[in-house]
Amino acid sequence: MTVRVLIVDDDALVRAGLEMMLGQFDDLAVVGTIGDGADVLPTVNSIRPDVVLMDIRMPLIDGLTATEQLRARPDPPEVIVLTTFDTDRHIRRAMRAGASGFLLKHTPPTEIARAIRQVAAGAPMLSPDVTRRVMAFAAEPAPDPRRDEARRRLQALSDGERAVATLVGHGRTNSEIGRELLMSTATVKAYMTRILTKLGLTNRVQVALLVHDAE
């Protein structure tokens, strides 16, 4: 299957470089390039990409706001934030906005291609540096109001759904969750669908963040 990719970056040279770089992979196809977050929604509606590579700093609408808008629509594409900015604030906001990946622009081409394939298949992808930062977030004590709100939201889940969500928060894959809870992978996927619907979330990264906030 060919993964359809939209590139969003305000630097024309970066857009051209990414398009050329991704063109060397037979299973990836750049179907569009745009220079501002303001054009993301109409472009996605027009060309229906599978994955959006999203810069952060752009003139009219920044990439994180565009990601929030995009992931709020029905059946959105996956988003990988590809940027030179890796502050904790940017990483947290990207994850909460619904991005499935966060990579730095100096990431090698093969790793960017691998990330595109991985998020298109439904699995999150973070660069090693960002992964360490996200794990550090989990180790931080959450402020009480956020923790209380997270716990309140998780109470909407059944016992089985909470068990699955907790293991998602601990980084388990669907197959690992199935083995631990004595479920088939198909049953775990069904639980995940119900969890996302009940919590109003769009992917397992957001579920993991909610679980971390509640702990």
Side-chain angles (χ1 to χ4, degrees):
M1 184 186 71
T2 300
V3 180
R4 296 165 56 83
V5 181
L6 170 65
I7 297 170
V8 186
D9 197 295
D10 65 338
D11 188 324
L13 290 177
V14 172
R15 294 197 302 272
L18 285 170
E19 185 171 14
M20 182 181 301
M21 178 201 75
L22 295 178
Q24 67 183 299
F25 301 100
D26 293 338
D27 59 336
L28 305 180
V30 176
V31 294
T33 65
I34 55 178
D36 195 88
D39 300 319
V40 168
L41 290 181
T43 303
V44 166
N45 288 336
S46 173
I47 65 176
R48 300 290 180 179
D50 302 305
V51 176
V52 178
L53 286 182
M54 186 83 74
D55 188 23
I56 290 182
R57 294 282 180 88
M58 289 182 282
L60 298 179
I61 294 182
D62 68 85
L64 299 180
T65 299
T67 298
E68 290 169 346
Q69 295 174 347
L70 181 58
R71 295 296 297 176
R73 55 162 278 170
D75 194 24
E78 301 296 338
V79 176
I80 296 175
V81 173
L82 185 64
T83 181
T84 55
F85 303 98
D86 65 343
T87 66
D88 288 356
R89 178 173 60 87
H90 287 127
I91 296 170
R92 285 179 185 272
R93 189 176 167 201
M95 297 298 98
R96 295 189 188 283
S100 295
F102 194 109
L103 301 176
L104 301 180
K105 286 184 178 177
H106 60 66
T107 302
T110 53
E111 288 301 302
I112 294 176
R114 185 167 72 89
I116 292 170
R117 297 184 192 105
Q118 188 163 321
V119 301
M125 177 66 184
L126 305 175
S127 69
D129 288 344
V130 173
T131 299
R132 285 191 288 271
R133 302 274 278 279
V134 171
M135 292 182 71
F137 298 161
E140 297 172 359
D144 285 348
R146 177 180 292 172
R147 182 185 62 203
D148 292 345
E149 172 63 13
R151 290 178 176 177
R152 183 192 67 76
R153 293 180 66 186
L154 290 173
Q155 285 301 312
L157 303 179
S158 68
D159 290 344
E161 289 162 353
R162 274 197 301 277
V164 171
T166 298
L167 292 176
V168 169
H170 294 164
R172 303 289 202 283
T173 65
N174 285 348
S175 59
E176 290 170 339
I177 292 171
R179 286 195 297 271
E180 192 156 340
L181 298 181
L182 303 180
M183 299 176 180
S184 68
T185 301
T187 300
V188 175
K189 289 180 178 178
Y191 269 100
M192 280 303 306
T193 299
R194 293 200 296 271
I195 290 167
L196 293 173
T197 300
K198 285 186 177 182
L199 297 178
L201 302 176
T202 58
N203 62 35
R204 63 195 297 129
V205 172
Q206 292 177 314
V207 174
L209 287 170
L210 188 66
V211 170
H212 291 159
D213 283 348
E215 292 178 342

